[in-house]
Amino acid sequence: MDIYYNKEDELANRGVKYANGSLAEAKPTYVPFGILLEIAHHDYKDDAKWIIENKKKIGYSIADAILHYYQIK
């Protein structure tokens, strides 16, 4: 959320959700130990533009979060 352009919007941070098998994209059949990250709403014009313009920043932010979670650095 630190890098998101619209982080002041109270609806922007939807928190952590557990699918418990209800998301087709993350079913154990396809991704047994996977995580689905929602970066922004790509079907919203401003979000799609932000994603395209910030791919590297988004990637580094995800990588940093993973390293932090596993206490690597």
Side-chain angles (χ1 to χ4, degrees):
M1 282 303 296
D2 290 345
I3 64 169
Y4 186 55
Y5 75 98
N6 197 19
K7 63 184 164 203
E8 302 305 320
D9 181 351
E10 64 185 49
L11 300 176
N13 186 348
R14 297 174 7 144
V16 175
K17 306 283 190 275
Y18 296 93
N20 297 323
S22 66
L23 291 174
E25 299 93 337
K27 281 189 178 181
T29 308
Y30 304 115
V31 188
F33 302 103
I35 294 172
L36 179 65
L37 299 174
E38 183 176 57
I39 305 305
H41 297 280
H42 65 276
D43 50 344
Y44 296 168
K45 185 178 179 180
D46 290 339
D47 277 4
K49 182 177 184 290
W50 177 78
I51 292 169
I52 290 168
E53 292 173 351
N54 292 279
K55 289 186 283 186
K56 191 170 187 174
K57 187 185 248 186
I58 292 166
Y60 277 112
S61 183
I62 292 168
D64 287 343
I66 293 168
L67 292 171
H68 177 78
Y69 178 83
Y70 287 106
Q71 300 175 350
I72 300 170
K73 247 188 179 183

